[in-house]
Amino acid sequence: MQWLTIYNKELLESARNFKWIWVPLVFILLSIIDPLSTYYLPQILEATGGLPDGATIDMPTPRPSDVLMMSISQLNMLGVLVIALITMGTISGERKSGVAELVLVKPIPYHFYTTAKWAAHMTLILTSILLGLLASWYYVNLLFDPLSFSGMLTAFLFYSLWIMLIVSISLFMNALTKSPGLVLFLTISTVILMNLLTSVFSHLLEWSPAMITSYLPGILQNGEMESNLMFTSLITAVVIIALLFGATYTLKHKEIA
């Protein structure tokens, strides 16, 4: 009951801040930019002055899976920034203002406090991303060739693990510091560092959480899941649980201190 109270409070606060309106719209916009710009590129070039005399442009039609992956890439860049901005003050802001102390002075377990906030943000963010990918899938089928709905949905489920990891990192940073700005910096820095290390040492870090998106094209193209994707997903889930436990442990000992 206490957990649901905190969870519902977070959802209500998001509604009052109009997050349930602008966050889905942002993710939908990010998701449809590439499908639309790719399809209408010739018209865009012509409207902006066209090509020099005698010059021609011959662009092969991209596969539907490649177009949807463009949308996911957009979410991996600008979308991650939006997620970090949304979550940077979820605990640190309340600790700084003293609200967290008022809540935790009651007999509310710390893990209820952290996991309820995590779940509320995941509800908002994953709903927004799903709407964005549905919009992208719609335009891919409309402007290009058909793409399996089940493949798109499966890719979304695995991609959700990566998003959950980012939110978990942000929540852990919230427990470390009372400065929302520092939480934003630490979260973005951690994600960038993880992607950089995985890119440089990809042959050694095949099960790195940052590799999840690189395994998604196989699902979209032929519905097949690589064995590395399953192991990567398992490791990602373990890291998420560890971060939530670490956030709870850190917050508890900081507040007691």
Side-chain angles (χ1 to χ4, degrees):
M1 188 65 180
Q2 290 176 326
W3 189 92
L4 282 176
T5 300
I6 300 173
Y7 174 77
N8 290 329
K9 169 185 168 295
E10 290 297 316
L11 293 182
L12 181 59
E13 186 176 340
S14 294
R16 287 173 175 171
N17 294 329
F18 302 103
K19 289 181 181 178
W20 280 101
I21 297 177
W22 70 263
V23 175
L25 289 176
V26 167
F27 280 104
I28 289 172
L29 180 61
L30 291 176
S31 298
I32 66 175
I33 284 177
D34 280 318
L36 293 177
S37 61
T38 300
Y39 183 80
Y40 290 108
L41 182 60
Q43 290 90 330
I44 293 173
L45 290 175
E46 184 176 350
T48 55
L51 296 173
D53 293 338
T56 60
I57 179 170
D58 185 18
M59 294 181 59
T61 302
R63 294 177 297 184
S65 58
D66 294 335
V67 180
L68 191 68
M69 283 305 301
M70 293 179 188
S71 298
I72 293 177
S73 296
Q74 282 284 359
L75 296 177
N76 260 352
M77 292 185 292
L78 299 178
V80 168
L81 178 59
V82 173
I83 292 171
L85 287 169
I86 293 171
T87 58
M88 68 179 185
T90 183
I91 292 177
S92 61
E94 291 191 354
R95 291 176 62 207
K96 188 175 182 179
S97 64
V99 173
E101 294 179 2
L102 295 176
V103 174
L104 294 172
V105 75
K106 302 176 182 179
I108 297 178
Y110 282 81
H111 64 278
F112 279 16
Y113 181 72
T114 54
T115 57
K117 284 181 169 291
W118 178 86
H121 279 92
M122 290 314 313
T123 301
L124 169 63
I125 293 169
L126 290 184
T127 300
S128 302
I129 289 178
L130 178 59
L131 291 174
L133 290 181
L134 282 172
S136 176
W137 175 80
Y138 170 77
Y139 280 110
V140 167
N141 282 272
L142 181 66
L143 303 177
F144 299 91
D145 293 324
L147 182 66
S148 166
F149 178 78
S150 60
M152 183 279 296
L153 191 59
T154 304
F156 162 74
L157 293 176
F158 281 103
Y159 183 64
S160 296
L161 284 171
W162 172 242
I163 300 301
M164 289 180 187
L165 178 62
I166 295 171
V167 176
S168 301
I169 292 172
S170 178
L171 195 73
F172 179 74
M173 299 306 177
N174 269 270
L176 284 179
T177 176
K178 293 183 179 181
S179 171
L182 185 57
V183 171
L184 175 64
F185 172 77
L186 291 174
T187 301
I188 295 297
S189 298
T190 301
V191 173
I192 291 175
L193 181 62
M194 189 186 308
N195 280 310
L196 182 61
L197 290 176
T198 301
S199 177
V200 174
F201 302 104
S202 58
H203 59 293
L204 299 175
L205 301 174
E206 293 182 343
W207 296 350
S208 167
M211 290 292 289
I212 286 181
T213 53
S214 65
Y215 296 134
L216 297 183
I219 297 176
L220 295 173
Q221 291 171 13
N222 47 40
E224 295 182 0
M225 289 181 285
E226 299 184 36
S227 58
N228 282 336
L229 176 59
M230 303 306 295
F231 287 114
T232 302
S233 300
L234 179 60
I235 289 175
T236 304
V238 171
V239 175
I240 290 170
I241 294 172
L243 285 169
L244 291 175
F245 176 81
T248 301
Y249 180 85
T250 302
L251 180 63
K252 181 178 180 179
H253 283 76
K254 276 183 174 292
E255 293 302 315
I256 291 176

